[in-house]
Amino acid sequence: MVLEVRNLSVTYQAEGAPVRALQEISFSLKEGDTLGIIGESGSGKTTLGLALMGLIGGKDRVEGNAYFRGTEFLSFSDKGKKALRWKHIAMVFQNSLEVLNPVLNIGEQVGEPLKKHLYLKGKELEARVEELFQLVGLDPQWKEAFPHQLSGGMRQRVLIAMALSCKPELLLVDEPTTSLDPVSRKEMIELLGRLQQEYGFTLVVISHDLSCISRLTSRLLALYGGRVVEEGLTEELLEDPFHPYSRGLINSSPHYFAYKDLWGIPGEPPTGQEAGCSFHSRCSQALESCREGVPALQQVCCERRVACHRGGIVTILEASGLKKEYRLKKRVLQAVNGVDLYIKEGEVAALVGETGSGKSTVAQMLGRLMKPTAGDITFRGEKFYNGVTRQENGIQIVMQDPFSSTSHRLTVEQVLREPLDINKIGTSQERSSRVREALEQVQLPWGTDFLKRFCFELSGGQRQRVAIARALVMKPALLLADEITSMLDPSTQANLLRLLKGLQNSKGFAMLFITHDLELARKVADRVMVMKQGEIVETGSSRRLFTDPCCCHTKELIDAAFGEHQHVHKSHHHPHTHEHVHKHKTQH
C-alpha cells in the first residue's frame, strides 16, 4: 500500500470559532492507483493535499494518521517531513504565480529539489533540468525566464517538472486545468496521463473539472463540508451518482453536460455548525431525522460507499411490467408492452420517442388517468392505486394541450383553488395564499383582476403556466410534464422550459419530461429513456446517451434530430444499455 489515510481531520484556528476543514477522512491507494477528489470550493480538497504534504502546522491542528508504505508520517518532525516531501510525495499546487518565486528563474527553481534531495550539481544538474523541461513539453531555452514571462499553461508545466524532479512515488495535483484555455487544458490532461503511464506513480487529482477527473482517474471521492459523502469507481459514479450532492456537482458541470443550462446546487455550503447531516438544508429528499446524527460512509453496492441517512438517492416511483392494451373489433392493440422504469428523488428524467411509441400512455398510467392492463406501480414504496398519489406531496400531471387541460368556464382562481378545496387543505386564507404563491412561481400576476379572468381569455403560454401553477399548488414530489411545449411558439417554449427547470431545481421535486423533441430532452434532462413501439429500448445519463448511444433506434433518432455526425459511437461494449437496471433502489 503506497498511501493509507485513517480518520484524517484538520482544524484551522480562526480568530472566531475554530474551522473544521476536514473531518475523519479515510482512504487507501495501491501502487499505480489514480484517485480523483471533487467538491465545491471550501469542501476541503486543497486542505487534504496540504495535510498530506505536511504543510499544515503552527496553531492549526491535524489529527488522525497517514501511512506512506506502512510508515506513519504525519507525526514526523519538520525535518522528517521535509525529507519525505518532493523525494517520495510531491504536489503540483494550484496557483502557479503564488507558488513560484518571482525573483528566481525557472531553471533554478526546477533544479532546487534536485540539489536538495539528490545532491546534483554542475553539468549533471543542468542536464537533468533540461531533461525535465523536455519531459513536460517545454523548450529548455525557457529555463532562463522568470515566472511572469510564462503563460499559465507553461507555468503549470514548470510545477509538474518540479514535482517530478525526484521521481516521487505519490503525486498530488491540485486543480491542474484551472484558468487554462481549452487547448492548454487538453494538453495538460494528456501530459499528466502520459507521465502517469510512463512513471507509474500513484496519482491523486483534486479538481472541479469533471472532464479532467474522468480522463485521469479510476476512483473518485466526493467531499462536502470536509467529509466524504460518496466514494466509487469514477466512470460509474459520474454516470450514476448515488448521493444528491454528487448528482448536483455532476449536473452543474459545463464540461460534462455540454448542452444543458447551468443549474447549481441551491443553498449555501455548510458553516460547520450544522447538526446531523450537513447537506440536509440543501437536499431534495431530506427528512427531519436527517438532522440527527452524522451519516456514516457505508457500502451500498460493489465498489460504492455513500454517507446518507436514506442510503443514497431514493427511488420515488417504480413501474415494472407495465402494459396497456386497447381491444379493437378484430385485434388487440398493444400500446405499452412491458415497460420497466424508475424515477429518483429530485431528478429530471426524459421519456423520448417517436409519435405513437406509447409515451403519453405511460404518462397517463403514472398520473392515474388510465389504469394499466398489467404491471405494478409503486410510489414511495406503496402500491399505486390506494389514493395517496394525487394528494399533497404526491404526483401531479401537466397535459400537452393548454386549452383542454384547464376548463374555459372557470376563472384562474377557481382552477388553482380546486385541488386545494377538493383535498380540504388549509383554511380559506391559506388556500388563497398558496394560489398567489403558485402564480408568483410561474411569473404570472396574482392581483384580483387576473384571478377573476376566465381561462378562455388567456393566451396559450399563460394557460400552460396556469396548468403548471395548478400542479405546483399541491407541492408535488413528482411532476409529469407531457409534451407541455409542443403547441407553443419557440420564444414562449423557451421561457416556459427555463421557468419550469428553475422551479424544479429550487423546489427539488422530481420530473418526468415526456417529449419527442430530443433537443429539449438534451437541454433539461439528467437521465433519458428511449421508447419504441411500447417498449423502453435504452436508458442512461443524457451525457452518455447523446454521445455514445448503444441502441440502433436511439442512433436513428439522434441522427434524425442532430445529423449523423453529432454522436460518436464507440466500439467497446457499454454496460448502460436497455438491459441496465438501476441496482441501488431504496425506499423510504
Side-chain angles (χ1 to χ4, degrees):
M1 199 70 70
V2 174
L3 178 70
E4 189 172 0
V5 177
R6 296 179 188 170
N7 300 319
L8 178 62
S9 299
V10 174
T11 305
Y12 291 120
Q13 300 299 326
E15 288 187 9
V19 177
R20 191 87 157 169
L22 278 185
Q23 303 185 60
E24 299 179 349
I25 302 293
S26 298
F27 63 90
S28 58
L29 293 169
K30 297 176 183 176
E31 194 161 339
D33 279 356
T34 53
L35 176 70
I37 298 175
I38 60 174
E40 292 174 298
S41 296
S43 59
K45 306 187 302 294
T46 298
T47 296
L48 175 59
L50 295 175
L52 294 177
M53 286 292 289
L55 296 174
I56 297 176
K59 293 181 180 179
D60 302 322
R61 191 168 71 251
V62 178
E63 300 168 289
N65 302 103
Y67 299 85
F68 178 76
R69 296 202 177 277
T71 301
E72 208 289 323
F73 63 90
L74 292 183
S75 58
F76 280 6
S77 64
D78 287 343
K79 185 177 179 181
K81 289 176 182 176
K82 286 179 181 178
L84 193 67
R85 207 178 294 146
W86 297 114
K87 190 172 183 181
H88 300 287
I89 303 175
M91 184 169 181
V92 180
F93 294 91
Q94 179 177 353
N95 300 314
S96 55
L97 274 178
E98 291 183 14
V99 175
L100 293 171
N101 192 325
V103 298
L104 293 179
N105 67 42
I106 296 302
E108 290 176 293
Q109 296 189 60
V110 172
E112 191 175 352
L114 296 168
K115 288 191 289 186
K116 189 171 184 179
H117 294 282
L118 302 183
Y119 311 109
L120 299 185
K121 55 186 178 180
K123 290 191 174 182
E124 190 180 7
L125 173 62
E126 190 175 333
R128 177 60 179 156
V129 169
E130 290 190 4
E131 181 186 333
L132 286 167
F133 269 61
Q134 291 170 346
L135 181 72
V136 297
L138 278 175
D139 192 315
Q141 69 178 0
W142 285 103
K143 67 182 182 180
E144 302 299 330
F146 289 89
H148 70 276
Q149 297 174 311
L150 274 62
S151 68
M154 294 169 75
R155 288 195 297 269
Q156 203 74 358
R157 290 171 186 266
V158 169
L159 292 178
I160 293 173
M162 291 175 64
L164 295 178
S165 58
C166 299
K167 298 183 178 178
E169 294 142 275
L170 174 62
L171 180 66
L172 311 173
V173 185
D174 188 11
E175 299 288 6
T177 58
T178 297
S179 303
L180 298 183
D181 63 87
V183 174
S184 299
R185 184 190 301 123
K186 180 175 180 288
E187 291 174 349
M188 187 59 56
I189 293 171
E190 290 175 349
L191 173 63
L192 285 169
R194 175 174 61 81
L195 293 174
Q196 201 275 332
Q197 289 291 320
E198 289 181 11
Y199 280 67
F201 50 76
T202 301
L203 177 66
V204 177
V205 180
I206 298 165
S207 181
H208 54 248
D209 181 350
L210 295 186
S211 62
C212 172
I213 289 287
S214 65
R215 291 184 61 182
L216 291 178
T217 68
S218 59
R219 279 178 56 219
L220 191 56
L221 298 181
L223 284 188
Y224 183 75
R227 293 184 182 275
V228 176
V229 295
E230 185 166 5
E231 176 185 359
L233 299 178
T234 301
E235 184 179 351
E236 293 181 1
L237 196 153
L238 293 178
E239 171 69 18
D240 189 13
F242 286 2
H243 196 284
Y245 173 66
S246 307
R247 178 177 65 189
L249 284 180
I250 295 165
N251 289 348
S252 305
S253 172
H255 302 303
Y256 216 60
F257 282 95
Y259 299 98
K260 287 176 65 175
D261 287 332
L262 297 180
W263 298 99
I265 305 170
E268 294 297 323
T271 61
Q273 308 301 318
E274 293 83 359
C277 174
S278 57
F279 191 64
H280 72 79
S281 63
R282 307 173 72 187
C283 184
S284 62
Q285 62 175 39
L287 303 174
E288 278 301 314
S289 58
C290 295
R291 299 173 182 269
E292 302 169 6
V294 176
L297 190 65
Q298 294 181 328
Q299 198 92 17
V300 292
C301 69
C302 183
E303 300 287 352
R304 190 73 66 94
R305 295 198 297 165
V306 175
C308 177
H309 284 306
R310 304 192 68 181
I313 302 173
V314 175
T315 299
I316 188 172
L317 179 140
E318 187 174 0
S320 60
L322 209 58
K323 293 184 179 183
K324 183 60 182 179
E325 295 177 351
Y326 294 107
R327 297 192 175 274
L328 307 179
K329 285 185 178 180
K330 295 183 178 180
R331 65 190 182 99
V332 174
L333 178 64
Q334 197 79 45
V336 175
N337 187 19
V339 161
D340 297 331
L341 62 81
Y342 64 91
I343 301 167
K344 296 186 287 186
E345 287 269 11
E347 78 167 342
V348 179
L351 185 62
V352 303
E354 298 171 298
T355 301
S357 59
K359 308 184 302 297
S360 292
T361 304
V362 169
Q364 291 180 48
M365 287 190 287
L366 297 181
R368 295 185 71 236
L369 301 178
M370 179 188 296
K371 196 165 185 177
T373 307
D376 293 313
I377 305 172
T378 57
F379 177 70
R380 287 182 165 164
E382 297 181 11
K383 285 295 180 183
F384 198 60
Y385 287 94
N386 59 2
V388 300
T389 54
R390 285 189 187 168
Q391 295 175 4
E392 195 172 19
N393 299 314
I395 298 174
Q396 294 294 320
I397 186 168
V398 181
M399 305 300 291
Q400 178 176 356
D401 182 2
F403 296 98
S404 60
S405 61
T406 54
S407 174
H408 64 277
R409 296 189 303 271
L410 299 179
T411 65
V412 171
E413 184 176 21
Q414 288 171 332
V415 166
L416 268 63
R417 281 187 68 110
E418 187 177 38
L420 298 174
D421 292 337
I422 290 172
N423 289 281
K424 300 178 181 178
I425 295 173
T427 62
S428 178
Q429 188 175 356
E430 287 170 342
R431 292 173 195 175
S432 298
S433 177
R434 282 177 67 158
V435 166
R436 289 195 298 271
E437 182 185 346
L439 287 171
E440 278 187 291
Q441 288 173 353
V442 297
Q443 296 177 8
L444 284 174
W446 47 271
T448 304
D449 290 345
F450 188 79
L451 288 171
K452 299 304 179 186
R453 288 176 68 178
F454 287 92
C455 288
F456 71 83
E457 299 178 285
L458 306 178
S459 69
Q462 287 177 321
R463 286 184 76 160
Q464 195 63 289
R465 278 188 281 170
V466 167
I468 292 171
R470 177 185 167 95
L472 294 180
V473 82
M474 292 296 289
K475 298 183 179 179
L478 172 61
L479 184 68
L480 307 175
D482 184 14
E483 299 281 12
I484 60 170
T485 61
S486 62
M487 298 183 67
L488 304 177
D489 66 86
S491 176
T492 305
Q493 172 182 272
N495 289 333
L496 184 67
L497 266 185
R498 184 159 184 81
L499 173 68
L500 185 57
K501 177 56 188 160
L503 286 168
Q504 187 275 328
N505 187 64
S506 61
K507 300 299 179 184
F509 55 82
M511 181 163 68
L512 179 64
F513 184 70
I514 296 148
T515 183
H516 57 252
D517 191 329
L518 269 66
E519 290 178 320
L520 292 182
R522 186 171 67 172
K523 194 76 174 168
V524 303
D526 307 328
R527 187 168 55 87
V528 179
M529 296 169 281
V530 181
M531 279 198 79
K532 180 186 180 183
Q533 296 177 357
E535 299 178 358
I536 291 180
V537 294
E538 184 169 6
T539 183
S541 71
S542 62
R543 175 197 63 85
R544 200 278 303 164
L545 190 137
F546 284 114
T547 57
D548 186 20
C550 299
C551 175
C552 294
H553 180 65
T554 307
K555 282 185 258 181
E556 288 174 5
L557 289 176
I558 292 173
D559 289 344
F562 310 116
E564 60 184 17
H565 300 297
Q566 288 297 311
H567 70 81
V568 180
H569 181 60
K570 300 173 185 176
S571 59
H572 66 271
H573 172 72
H574 202 292
H576 300 280
T577 64
H578 64 282
E579 295 174 353
H580 170 63
V581 178
H582 186 55
K583 295 182 174 59
H584 172 64
K585 291 180 178 173
T586 54
Q587 300 288 349
H588 171 54

